[in-house]
Amino acid sequence: MTRGDMVWARLYYRNATGEELRSVLTLMGPGGRTVELHCAPAAHDEPDTCETPRLPSSGPPGSAAAVAEFVGAGPVEEAPLLLRAGSERAPDARG
């Protein structure tokens, strides 16, 4: 998401599984800059959000991307990847 010269990532979710889940929201900017936020979606059916801090943009509009990953419970090495979703960068205006 962007507003003015600020950029951040936001994840909307609902954990209707009744089980513990973990998620990681990663905001990637130009020059290899990343912000990673670990979220713990509560095991209930209510909508919620997870959001990275808002940071000054260090590149042109559309130069940042975000990825959200949800994994199941258990040791990190054994937890199954349940969902990976990513943003698309804005189309190049030059075509």
Side-chain angles (χ1 to χ4, degrees):
M1 301 184 73
T2 61
R3 180 171 293 146
D5 65 345
M6 303 300 280
V7 63
W8 68 99
R10 181 182 296 158
L11 168 66
Y12 295 93
Y13 65 86
R14 182 175 11 211
N15 180 6
T17 67
E19 298 177 17
E20 174 189 348
L21 295 178
R22 292 187 306 259
S23 69
V24 179
L25 179 58
T26 306
L27 174 64
M28 298 165 288
R33 293 181 54 204
T34 63
V35 175
E36 187 174 277
L37 181 65
H38 295 263
C39 308
H44 58 71
D45 197 23
E46 295 299 318
D48 208 347
T49 62
C50 181
E51 187 172 294
T52 66
R54 296 175 187 210
L55 304 169
S57 178
S58 62
S63 62
V67 173
E69 296 176 307
F70 283 84
V71 296
V76 173
E77 311 80 43
E78 300 172 14
L81 177 63
L82 303 174
L83 174 70
R84 177 179 287 146
S87 65
E88 291 187 30
R89 293 189 178 188
D92 188 347
R94 292 172 285 169

